[in-house]
Amino acid sequence: MARIPVKLTFLSISVLSGLATQAGELTFAPEITLSGVQYETDYAEREDLDNTAIVLKPSLTSNYDSRIWDAALSVKHTAVFQDENSSELDKSFTDYRFNSDLSLWDDRLGLQVSSSRTKRATSQADSLVVDPLLGASELVKSRNRNAVLSFESRDSGVIAFSGSASAGEVETGSFEEGGNNSFRGLNNKNYQTVARLYQGNDINNLYFDITSQYSLTKREAERGDFESRNLSARAGVALTERIYAIVRGNDDSNKIEDSEISSGQLESTTYGAGLEWRRSSNRYIAVTYNQYEQNDRKQQYVGLDLNWAFTQRTSVSANIGKRFFGDSYQFSLEHNTKHWRSQIGYSDSLTSFTRQQLVTEDLGVFVCPIGELDPTQCFQPDSPNYEPGAGEQFLNFVNQDIELSEEVILNKSAFASLGFERRKISLSLNYRYSEQEYIERAREQRTSGMQFSATYEMGPRTSLQLQSAFSKTENLLQFGERKATNSSIGINRELNRDMDLNLSYRYVDNDNEGDTFGGGLSAQSYTDHRVTLSLVYRL
């Protein structure tokens, strides 16, 4: 990729030393993609469509890197010109993504800011079958703005502290412009604070860990605000070199304003004591006998807490407990080698789409350029502790099953991500499964999905690319099942250092049973065959 380096000098604020001058590098990567598309769509209940289109995609990616500040901006414009029904099918829109990461005071203080505007589908199934050529009216404009201020003490003596304050906003359009009223849009704000107090480096044979979290989601539609508080604490004292006596407790409180669900139904308290076998802060297993309380209901149970790092590349964690919705489980397994990266996990939480936008945990085995979701354009990092820069992001397949909605959901989800990369071949396989209970109305949904991608370097300048994705959505309280499949194969040829030629074939199958998925194209059953020839020029 052609880059234009520009040296910049700017004044940065240092907490300890005052003003300091830092040198950074600014790079630009402009690119133009011109595509010719021939596609044929066969509908089950309407007239078939045979059409051609020209798609023009100019883009610009800019990165700034310095010792304390990294920033990246990606701007992409999409213009679609179709042969038939031009007044309805021709589309033009611009997406952008901006990330900024500022680190001060020897990385103790950090500020992360992000902003984006994209045209997107309202669910993972829709993202497989709806795009700027087919069903563009059902893509909604989504704006996300997030900021996170974090602090972590270093070289602490007796007491250590870490904390963060986050704010975010999600604003979307609706389907009304496209003649479909099944989505009214969002305009929600989310605020979150987290504070953690734990033992410092000078304390031996004793540990404590207290974490407090507060979240507020302000929903500006017809629904009331969603508020959550959580306080958890653990403490242990050594009985022998490896065995600790421990106590633990957790208080969980949630409230939904203007809802028929009382706050007492969304609150619970647990506390207990037990024994722990401990080698270090990341190698321990604890078994506790606990009391569970919710309103007048009380119950005893045995809990498990496991956190074990076998090596720097392999670790497992698990937790068995209870919350207001019943049994609660958390599990995570990571294993990485030079060529393999894998993650397996399960979690349950009361959340919403807006709150998920503030989740900063990176779940993925491949790293992609900012704004790029195509697995064939991503790479597998060498280190298991790799942290993406401002111009990078993990390819996250885990939370894509949460649809764009303002509703509060109880989400129980499992996932598996596998990645393999050698000199000539890279493979990625992702699977997810989730059960979602919508708290404010009688709706339960089960979703599952799988994604596979492979890239094979046939020669120094030629590569073969294969992708396939499948999604299944079931409405459990009403009859309705939807299956979506998107598969493609393509060959890419590098003509020179600034120009690529790509030829691909794509097949889409959207199968919808029942009438519980709204109206519009995405609710219809159809198949789509598409051949695309693209020329990519890097300026």
Side-chain angles (χ1 to χ4, degrees):
M1 179 177 293
R3 297 184 180 274
I4 307 171
V6 179
K7 291 291 183 179
L8 295 182
T9 302
F10 67 100
L11 292 180
S12 63
I13 300 176
S14 176
V15 176
L16 294 180
S17 59
L19 297 178
T21 301
Q22 302 292 332
E25 182 181 17
L26 179 65
T27 62
F28 296 95
E31 183 177 284
I32 298 177
T33 302
L34 179 64
S35 302
V37 184
Q38 172 70 42
Y39 67 96
E40 179 181 335
T41 309
D42 300 324
Y43 297 96
E45 300 179 359
R46 56 179 284 191
E47 184 180 354
D48 297 342
L49 176 64
D50 188 354
N51 205 2
T52 58
I54 298 295
V55 182
L56 180 64
K57 291 184 178 181
S59 65
L60 174 65
T61 300
S62 178
N63 287 275
Y64 179 80
D65 297 309
S66 70
R67 189 179 64 85
I68 66 172
W69 184 43
D70 296 334
L73 174 66
S74 173
V75 181
K76 295 183 179 180
H77 180 76
T78 302
V80 180
F81 309 95
Q82 306 221 38
D83 183 35
E84 297 184 11
N85 300 323
S86 295
S87 61
E88 299 179 8
L89 299 180
D90 289 355
K91 296 292 177 182
S92 178
F93 51 86
T94 302
D95 296 341
Y96 76 84
R97 295 177 184 269
F98 172 76
N99 290 340
S100 173
D101 191 350
L102 177 66
S103 299
L104 300 172
W105 198 4
D106 294 332
D107 295 333
R108 290 181 176 88
L109 186 65
L111 176 62
Q112 295 177 320
V113 177
S114 64
S115 178
S116 67
R117 185 184 69 184
T118 60
K119 275 278 194 174
R120 56 155 293 166
T122 60
S123 69
Q124 169 65 8
D126 283 353
S127 68
L128 298 182
V129 299
V130 176
D131 59 23
L133 271 71
L134 194 63
S137 61
E138 296 180 34
L139 297 174
V140 297
K141 185 180 295 183
S142 175
R143 296 182 180 91
N144 288 21
R145 304 177 185 92
N146 298 304
V148 181
L149 179 65
S150 59
F151 173 80
E152 183 176 4
S153 60
R154 299 286 179 88
D155 302 324
S156 303
V158 178
I159 297 178
F161 172 81
S162 65
S164 66
S166 309
E169 180 181 20
V170 176
E171 181 182 0
T172 73
S174 66
F175 280 154
E176 294 178 353
E177 299 176 357
N180 187 328
N181 296 317
S182 61
F183 183 73
R184 295 174 297 177
L186 305 178
N187 189 5
N188 298 342
K189 297 179 176 62
N190 196 72
Y191 307 94
Q192 180 176 282
T193 60
V194 180
R196 181 187 176 211
L197 195 67
Y198 54 102
Q199 83 284 353
N201 298 327
D202 294 343
I203 296 182
N204 297 316
N205 301 323
L206 171 71
Y207 76 87
F208 59 89
D209 196 331
I210 304 172
T211 302
S212 175
Q213 179 171 317
Y214 173 79
S215 300
L216 173 63
T217 302
K218 300 186 71 66
R219 303 184 292 176
E220 297 186 3
E222 299 177 358
R223 304 181 187 275
D225 296 345
F226 173 31
E227 186 177 22
S228 300
R229 292 180 173 88
N230 181 269
L231 177 64
S232 61
R234 286 172 51 90
V237 59
L239 301 179
T240 67
E241 183 180 0
R242 300 296 185 200
I243 299 178
Y244 283 67
I246 66 170
V247 293
R248 59 156 304 276
N250 185 81
D251 184 71
D252 197 5
S253 175
N254 301 276
K255 180 181 178 181
I256 304 175
E257 292 185 358
D258 302 326
S259 172
E260 297 179 358
I261 306 296
S262 66
S263 58
Q265 295 177 268
L266 305 177
E267 297 177 352
S268 64
T269 301
T270 62
Y271 53 89
L275 295 175
E276 177 179 277
W277 192 63
R278 185 181 187 90
R279 297 190 62 179
S280 64
S281 60
N282 63 351
R283 289 186 177 185
Y284 63 84
I285 179 171
V287 178
T288 55
Y289 186 76
N290 303 272
Q291 174 88 354
Y292 167 79
E293 297 180 357
Q294 183 188 32
N295 298 327
D296 296 331
R297 179 188 175 191
K298 297 182 180 180
Q299 183 180 355
Q300 290 76 40
Y301 71 95
V302 176
L304 173 69
D305 195 6
L306 168 67
N307 189 2
W308 201 270
F310 296 95
T311 65
Q312 292 184 345
R313 294 179 174 269
T314 305
S315 63
V316 61
S317 64
N319 180 272
I320 299 176
K322 283 186 177 294
R323 294 183 63 188
F324 61 88
F325 51 81
D327 294 336
S328 176
Y329 305 96
Q330 308 287 329
F331 177 78
S332 176
L333 173 64
E334 295 187 21
H335 176 66
N336 305 291
T337 65
K338 182 179 180 180
H339 302 293
W340 280 97
R341 290 178 64 88
S342 59
Q343 291 181 331
I344 301 174
Y346 174 87
S347 64
D348 46 43
S349 63
L350 188 70
T351 186
S352 66
F353 172 82
T354 306
R355 290 196 177 181
Q356 287 298 125
Q357 306 313 298
L358 283 181
V359 175
T360 58
E361 181 182 6
D362 294 314
L363 297 172
V365 295
F366 279 86
V367 177
C368 308
I370 179 175
E372 182 62 68
L373 298 179
D374 184 355
T376 61
Q377 305 300 317
C378 308
F379 68 94
Q380 180 172 290
D382 295 332
S383 170
N385 300 319
Y386 184 87
E387 296 184 3
E392 299 174 333
Q393 62 187 18
F394 272 110
L395 181 61
N396 191 329
F397 189 67
V398 179
N399 293 322
Q400 294 182 5
D401 53 358
I402 297 182
E403 67 181 34
L404 204 159
S405 168
E406 64 181 359
E407 297 185 63
V408 178
I409 60 173
L410 175 59
N411 188 48
K412 301 179 180 181
S413 62
F415 74 92
S417 296
L418 305 175
F420 174 79
E421 189 172 52
R422 293 294 294 265
R423 187 173 61 89
K424 289 189 175 184
I425 188 171
S426 63
L427 304 172
S428 174
L429 177 64
N430 300 279
Y431 173 79
R432 57 173 174 75
Y433 173 88
S434 68
E435 294 181 356
Q436 298 153 351
E437 178 183 351
Y438 290 74
I439 300 298
E440 299 166 276
R441 59 171 171 152
R443 181 188 176 193
E444 293 184 15
Q445 186 169 278
R446 180 166 54 210
T447 63
S448 59
M450 182 175 292
Q451 182 186 65
F452 172 77
S453 68
T455 300
Y456 177 70
E457 300 294 336
M458 303 173 62
R461 295 187 175 185
T462 306
S463 62
L464 181 67
Q465 300 166 349
L466 174 66
Q467 295 188 59
S468 183
F470 171 80
S471 176
K472 180 179 179 182
T473 305
E474 301 173 87
N475 283 332
L476 302 181
L477 300 183
Q478 298 172 298
F479 173 72
E481 181 179 281
R482 180 182 177 189
K483 299 177 182 178
T485 303
N486 186 320
S487 300
S488 65
I489 185 171
I491 186 169
N492 186 81
R493 174 68 178 180
E494 181 182 343
L495 302 179
N496 54 55
R497 59 179 299 177
D498 297 324
M499 188 177 298
D500 290 353
L501 186 66
N502 183 278
L503 177 65
S504 65
Y505 166 77
R506 193 197 77 164
Y507 171 77
V508 165
D509 184 5
N510 189 53
D511 185 11
N512 187 16
E513 298 180 11
D515 57 357
T516 62
F517 295 98
L521 176 67
S522 59
Q524 302 179 30
S525 295
Y526 63 90
T527 60
D528 181 72
H529 302 264
R530 181 178 303 182
V531 177
T532 303
L533 179 64
S534 300
L535 181 67
V536 181
Y537 180 66
R538 294 175 288 273
L539 302 177

